[in-house]
Amino acid sequence: MMGGETTEQGDCSRFKGNIPHCCNKHPTVVDLLPGTPYNQQIANCCKGGVLNSWAQDPATAASSFQLSVGQSGTTNKTVRVPVNFTLKAPGPGYTCGPAKIVKPSRFVTPDGRRETQAMMTWNVACTYSQFLAQEAPSCCVSFSSFCNDTIVPCSKCACGCQNTSQPGSCVESKASHIAPFVNSYTPLVRCTSHMCPVRVHWHIKLNYKEYWRVKITITNFNYNMNYTQWNLVVQHPNFDNLTQSFSFNYKSITPYTAINDTAMLWGIKFYNDMLLEAGPLGNVQSELLFRKDKATFTFEEGWAFPRRIYFNGDNCVMPTPNVYPGLPNASSHQLTSALGLLVTLLAAMALLFGHA
């Protein structure tokens, strides 16, 4: 094998000379780490199992490995298509379909003057399901606003309720020493009312005449995991007028060509592209500046809050609309002005008649 390795060699006792890399009929293949010796590498390999999303960085969104299979013949009549593919990233969640034979891949020589082609090429498509990946949601959303003291927290038990009958199922925030689980994929979260590994907070920070400003904070409550090259997908109608993202990378995602209301955000390399484990450094944040569209902008009925948020592809639990923080709007300003004028007028009349 080149660019990857199997986790077990299996029983290769029947081979006397050239011992194969693996003799299992159902091998588990893992990616090699960066810095692997060159004689074990192939092009586009050795990323340590970490793949970026295509939107973040197409150059690191693919990984390759190569294997030579013995006793399988040397023609496309004798080679059999492999079956029962399983993709783990890093745990369950992906379901892979059968391998389908497609048009053979073509390879261009270094001088660009000649093409060769593979004997046979097949594709396997794997789809992700959040419900297969974990029983409970993995993130939640909270809201706040500059003009309201109320902070709308994540919904209670959004990702499960605290198990009071089993001490140690979560970590108190004042704990001095935390022993990691053997299975690092199992979340070990801080004890909270929502019990989510990740919380996304949307804060409406400022309201200008022609712009408005939002602060996004992502907090990791999971003591068992850093989130490398994380990403956030947010749906809000004002993303068609996003002026600036200050500390996150931004890319517009348009599932419907005519509607630009979905954005993908991710960290800046070597600055905040890793969301560290729970603790003082376990958060990343940025601010977004939106330009107001007079035809659509309003602070009424929760319009300024996002419709949906995804963290690393998982749908986050949103607060219920009836608890959204109240925001100012034009009608409330007019009502306040009219009421103030009425009070002033009554006070003046009382003062006048009092002197009379």
Side-chain angles (χ1 to χ4, degrees):
M1 288 195 71
M2 301 282 286
E5 63 182 357
T6 60
T7 56
E8 295 182 5
Q9 184 184 36
D11 182 9
C12 295
S13 58
R14 63 193 178 95
F15 294 93
K16 304 303 180 184
N18 189 15
I19 306 299
H21 177 82
C22 176
C23 298
N24 282 340
K25 290 186 177 180
H26 306 284
T28 297
V29 179
V30 295
D31 196 8
L32 295 181
L33 297 174
T36 295
Y38 289 111
N39 62 353
Q40 299 176 30
Q41 293 188 28
I42 64 165
N44 213 20
C45 82
C46 312
K47 296 180 171 64
V50 179
L51 295 181
N52 257 325
S53 69
W54 189 265
Q56 285 175 261
D57 185 4
T60 57
S63 185
S64 303
F65 66 89
Q66 175 181 297
L67 66 158
S68 302
V69 182
Q71 300 181 354
S72 60
T74 57
T75 71
N76 55 9
K77 301 294 184 182
T78 58
V79 172
R80 291 179 295 175
V81 177
V83 296
N84 297 333
F85 282 85
T86 303
L87 177 64
K88 294 185 177 182
Y94 283 92
T95 302
C96 299
K100 295 184 177 180
I101 298 177
V102 296
K103 189 176 180 180
S105 300
R106 291 180 173 270
F107 310 96
V108 181
T109 56
D111 61 7
R113 301 175 62 187
R114 172 179 164 80
E115 279 190 357
T116 59
Q117 75 173 41
M119 288 171 49
M120 185 187 299
T121 301
W122 53 79
N123 283 346
V124 179
C126 302
T127 56
Y128 177 76
S129 169
Q130 180 178 348
F131 301 104
L132 292 177
Q134 60 264 328
E135 295 180 358
S138 59
C139 56
C140 64
V141 181
S142 58
F143 293 148
S144 62
S145 168
F146 69 94
C147 61
N148 196 316
D149 293 335
T150 302
I151 297 177
V152 177
C154 287
S155 301
K156 188 175 182 180
C157 297
C159 301
C161 294
Q162 185 174 340
N163 187 356
T164 56
S165 63
Q166 184 181 354
S169 58
C170 62
V171 178
E172 297 292 344
S173 59
K174 296 181 180 179
S176 58
H177 175 71
I178 300 163
F181 282 3
V182 175
N183 180 2
S184 61
Y185 306 139
T186 302
L188 178 61
V189 300
R190 184 187 304 172
C191 298
T192 59
S193 61
H194 54 77
M195 291 298 290
C196 291
V198 174
R199 181 189 66 194
V200 181
H201 186 74
W202 179 280
H203 174 67
I204 301 174
K205 187 175 182 179
L206 291 170
N207 181 26
Y208 307 107
K209 182 178 180 181
E210 296 184 358
Y211 299 88
W212 63 294
R213 194 175 181 121
V214 168
K215 182 177 180 179
I216 298 178
T217 304
I218 307 172
T219 305
N220 187 4
F221 291 97
N222 188 354
Y223 289 96
N224 246 5
M225 185 177 292
N226 299 326
Y227 294 91
T228 305
Q229 297 171 355
W230 58 268
N231 63 67
L232 193 73
V233 174
V234 184
Q235 185 181 16
H236 190 283
N238 214 160
F239 272 115
D240 60 351
N241 268 327
L242 178 66
T243 302
Q244 188 173 358
S245 173
F246 290 90
S247 301
F248 290 167
N249 289 306
Y250 158 79
K251 182 179 180 66
S252 174
I253 299 177
T254 51
Y256 309 103
T257 307
I259 304 175
N260 180 14
D261 66 347
T262 307
M264 184 171 181
L265 306 168
W266 67 96
I268 297 171
K269 194 171 184 179
F270 304 126
Y271 176 58
N272 58 1
D273 60 336
M274 178 182 286
L275 177 59
L276 296 177
E277 65 182 25
L281 301 178
N283 68 86
V284 292
Q285 52 191 322
S286 179
E287 295 187 7
L288 306 176
L289 185 65
F290 295 97
R291 185 180 183 90
K292 295 180 180 178
D293 184 346
K294 294 181 180 179
T296 58
F297 178 82
T298 179
F299 273 140
E300 296 180 0
E301 299 179 352
W303 184 91
F305 296 107
R307 308 301 182 261
R308 198 172 292 273
I309 288 181
Y310 299 84
F311 178 78
N312 279 2
D314 286 345
N315 191 4
C316 299
V317 179
M318 305 287 289
T320 56
N322 62 302
V323 299
Y324 282 17
L327 295 171
N329 54 61
S331 60
S332 65
H333 285 304
Q334 292 170 1
L335 179 61
T336 303
S337 301
L339 183 61
L341 181 61
L342 179 61
V343 171
T344 303
L345 180 61
L346 290 175
M349 290 177 64
L351 184 63
L352 178 63
F353 285 111
H355 283 293

